[in-house]
Amino acid sequence: MSSVRRNAYQDVLHREVKKFEWTGKISEKFGENVFYEDKMREYLPEQAYKSIKSAIQHGTKIDRNIADVAASAMKEWALEKGATHYTHWFQPLTGATAEKHDAFFKPIGPGRAIEQFSGDLLVQQEPDASSFPNGGIRNTFEARGYTAWDPSSPAFVIDSTLCIPTIFIAYTGEALDYKMPLLKALNAVDKAATEVCKYFDKNVEKVIATLGWEQEYFLIDKAFYNARPDLMMTGRVLFGHPPAKGQQLDDHYFGSIPARITNFMREFEMEAIRLGIPVTTRHNEVAPNQFECAPIFEECNLANDHNLLLMDLLEKVARKHDFRIILHEKPFPGLNGSGKHNNWALATDTGVNLLAPGKNPKSNLQFLTFFVNTIKAIHEHSDTLRASIASASNDHRLGGHEAPPAIVSAFIGSHLTTLLDDLEKNIKAGKMTPADKTELKLNIGKIPQILLDNTDRNRTSPFAFTGNKFEYRAVGSLANCAQPMITINTIVARQLQLFKIAVDKRIKDGNGKDEAILKELQKLIKESKSIRFEGNGYGEEWVIEAKKRGLSNLKDTPSALKVWERQDVIDVFEKMEVFTKRELLARQEIEYEKYIMRNQIEARLISDLTQNHIIPVVVDYQNKLIQNIQGLTAILGDEAIQGTTAQKGILIDLSMHMNKMQEFSREMLENRKQANKIEDIAKRAEAYRDTVRVFFTKISYHTDKLEILVDDETWPFPKLREMLFTS
C-alpha cells in the first residue's frame, strides 16, 4: 500500500472518539449568543427598542441617533459575551459568506484605550466591491461598495466576534449579494399576498414567507480527505471504483449513528442552538457516511442566514472531531447525492398558514387560492425556477439516485388532484345559481383536515406539495437558499398580482366575490394542468411525456442560465422591483464564470492526477508483471506460455486503459485550450460542457478499471470502500 494511503488508513483505525458533553436543558441555551428581542429590551431604552422593532416589522428607517444607541447596546452585550471584534457579515456572490473583523479597541492617548462602536460603524461599512464577483457592475479600479445593516436578522457572537448581518451593494446601489434581492422579493410577496388575503380577512396586515431547509452532507475522516487531492480541491472524487457494497441494502438510512459521529452532531447542534438555529432533526441518510440535519421553519430571510451559518458551523466543528464536511451535490459516483430541500409556505400576521387547509369552506377557499396560484406561478416560470438552482456541481446530481430531474413539475397527491379536476369540470360558465354555489362550497369544505398524512411522497418531483407547504427538492446542498427563494417569492408575488387584477375585474363585471374567485381559479387550474405530474420522474418515458406537455428540459447549467436574459423573465423581476436587467445579466455572467472555473479546475486536476500519480503506479506494476513473465520463462521455457496467460492479459488491459486515459486527457487539454480562447462567456461555458466536461466520465471509466487491475498495495489513493466504510 502506498505510504500516503497506508498512513491515512492507520490514522483512521486509531482515531479516538472525542466526547462532547453538556449539562442543563437545551431550551435554556437557545439563542444565548444572539441579540434577540429579549436582549434588546434589556439593553436598549424604550424609544430605541420601539424604533428598531418598527424597522424590523414595517421596514421603517432607523434614525442615526437611534443607531448610536443600538450600537452602544450591542457592544456592551457583545463584550459581556467575550467579544473583542465586530464584523459586517454578508453574502457576496461567491456562494459563501464574507466578513472583515475590526477591534472594538481604540487608543485615546499614551497608555490609554477604550472599547468603541458607533452607529455609523453599525449601519454602514465599505468593503472592496471590485474584489468580489460583480458581473461587470464594478470595474477593478472602481472599488467602492457598501455593506448596510439588516436589522431584521439579529446580530450574534461567534468566536469572540460580534457578527452583524448586512446587505452588500455597489456604489451605484445595485445588489452584489443574495440578501438584498431576497428582502425585495419577500417584500413583493408580502404586498401581493396581503392584498389577496383581504378577500378573506380584512385584519391581515402582513404575509410572511417561511422556509424550512433540510441540509444533507457527507462526513469523511480528515486523513482520507487529505490523501485525496480531488476531494480537497473540488469537493468530489474525480475517479474511484464503486465499492461492492454501496447503498443497495438500505442499511444506512435511519440506522444507528456511530458514537464518533454522534459526538460531532451533539457539538455542532449545541453551537447552532446557542446561535438561535432551531435544529431539531438528525439522521443517517441513504448513502454510507451521509447525514442530514433540519430545523423548525422560520421567516425566510432569517432561515437563510441560519443555513449559511450552519454550513460554516458544520465545517468548523467537523475539524475539531477530525472529520471533513463534504457539501458537494455529488461527491461519490454511484451513490445518492446531497440536496437541500427548501420547504416554503406563506403565513399571515394573524397566525394562518395560507397553504394549510382549514375547517370550513371559507378557509379552504383561501387555501385553494394560494395553492392554485402557486402552481400557476410554477407553470408560467418553470424555466426561471430551474435556472435558480443551476450549477456545475448540481448538474452531477439532478436526475440520478433519487434526486429530482431537471424537468420542473409539481406533485400534489391524489386527493388534491381529484379536487382540482372536479373544480375544473364543475364550475359552470355564466351566472351561478345558489344551488351551484352551495354544492361547490360543500365540495371545498371536504378538503381533508388530515391532508398532511394523506399526501403521498414523490422523491422524483422537483416541486411537491406536502400537506401544508411546497417543497422545492431540486436545490443543491452547496447552494445559498436565497437564490431559489428569491425566484419563488417573486414569481408567486407576480401571479398573485395578476390574480387580484383578474378577480377585481370579474367582481366589477357583476360576479360575487366568491364566484369571481372560483371562476378565476378554474381558469388557472386549466392553464397550469400540464405542470402537475404524479408519476415517476426518472426515465425516458417522462422526458417524452414532458415534451408533449410543452415542459422544458434544461439538462445542464449553460442551457438553464440562458433563461436570465429572456425579456419575459427580466420583465417579471423588474415589475416586482427585485432585480434590474443589469443586475440579472450580471448574475448570469457570474454563474457562467463559476461553471467554467469549476470545470476548468476539475479538468486540470484530472490531468495532474492521471499523469503524476496514476500512470507512474501503472508503469511500475507493468514492470513487475514483465519481470514475473521473464522470470517464469527463463525457468520454465515453453511451459511458461500457459503459466503466464493471466499476467499477459493483465498487461494488455493495463496498456489499453492507460493509453485511452492518456489519449482522452490530451484531447481534453487541447479542447480546454480552445475553449479558453472563446470571448463570449456563454459560448465558452457551452464549449466546456460539450468538449471538456464530456471527458470526465470517459477518463474516470479507465482510471476505475486501472484501480481494480493494479496491485491494491501500490494504488496511491484511498479507495471509496475505505473512505465510506472506515470510521
Side-chain angles (χ1 to χ4, degrees), residues 4 29 71 125 245 294 352 355 400 433 472 498 512 605 613 662 677 690-691 700 710 722:
V4 172
K29 299 181 183 294
Q125 290 195 21
K245 178 181 182 292
V352 175
L355 289 174
T433 66
Y472 191 23
L498 296 173
L605 199 56
H613 295 261
Q662 181 82 326
K677 295 177 183 178
D690 298 335
T691 67
S700 67
V710 170
E722 297 162 348

Side-chain angles (χ1 to χ4, degrees), residues 423-529:
L423 287 174
E424 180 187 349
K425 296 170 186 174
N426 295 334
I427 298 176
K428 298 177 182 178
K431 194 72 175 175
M432 294 175 67
T433 66
D436 291 333
K437 294 178 184 178
T438 301
E439 184 180 345
L440 276 172
K441 285 182 178 180
L442 287 173
N443 191 27
I444 291 170
K446 291 177 183 176
I447 297 177
Q449 295 178 30
I450 55 168
L451 189 59
L452 185 62
D453 298 316
N454 279 349
T455 304
D456 199 359
R457 290 178 62 81
N458 184 328
R459 303 189 76 159
T460 67
S461 175
F463 201 81
F465 184 70
T466 55
N468 58 1
K469 62 190 182 301
F470 279 97
E471 184 177 6
Y472 191 23
R473 295 172 176 158
V475 184
S477 52
L478 267 175
N480 185 323
C481 297
Q483 188 57 55
M485 285 297 106
I486 291 165
T487 302
I488 289 172
N489 286 292
T490 300
I491 63 178
V492 170
R494 179 56 180 158
Q495 176 53 39
L496 289 171
Q497 269 190 350
L498 296 173
F499 176 78
K500 178 75 165 52
I501 292 169
V503 170
D504 285 350
K505 184 178 184 304
R506 288 180 184 274
I507 293 172
K508 187 177 179 181
D509 291 343
N511 290 278
K513 182 185 68 176
D514 287 357
E515 186 176 344
I517 291 171
L518 283 166
K519 286 184 175 179
E520 186 61 23
L521 289 179
Q522 181 191 44
K523 175 175 173 288
L524 299 184
I525 290 168
K526 288 178 179 178
E527 292 174 347
S528 61
K529 195 169 185 177

Side-chain angles (χ1 to χ4, degrees), residues 373-390 398 405-410 462-463 472 474 484 487-488 491-492 527-528 530-532 542 546 549-554 559-561 563-564 566 568-569 572-573:
N373 273 281
T374 300
I375 293 172
K376 174 64 173 175
I378 302 307
H379 177 268
E380 292 300 304
H381 305 283
S382 59
D383 288 356
T384 314
L385 197 61
R386 165 67 179 95
S388 74
I389 50 92
L398 293 178
I407 303 168
V408 174
S409 64
F463 201 81
Y472 191 23
T487 302
I488 289 172
I491 63 178
V492 170
E527 292 174 347
S528 61
S530 62
I531 202 73
R532 287 160 34 203
W542 170 229
R549 296 182 179 206
L551 304 181
S552 297
N553 184 9
L554 304 175
S559 300
L561 292 180
V563 170
W564 296 123
R566 280 179 13 196
D568 61 317
V569 174
V572 169
F573 283 100

Side-chain angles (χ1 to χ4, degrees), residues 386 390-398 555-558 595 693:
R386 165 67 179 95
S391 71
S393 52
N394 208 20
D395 282 358
H396 289 291
R397 165 180 167 261
L398 293 178
K555 296 180 181 179
D556 51 71
T557 293
Y595 179 84
R693 188 180 173 110

Side-chain angles (χ1 to χ4, degrees), residues 661 664 667 693-703:
M661 182 183 70
F664 288 144
E667 193 173 345
R693 188 180 173 110
V694 291
F695 283 101
F696 294 178
T697 52
K698 291 182 179 181
I699 294 170
S700 67
Y701 170 81
H702 294 287
T703 60

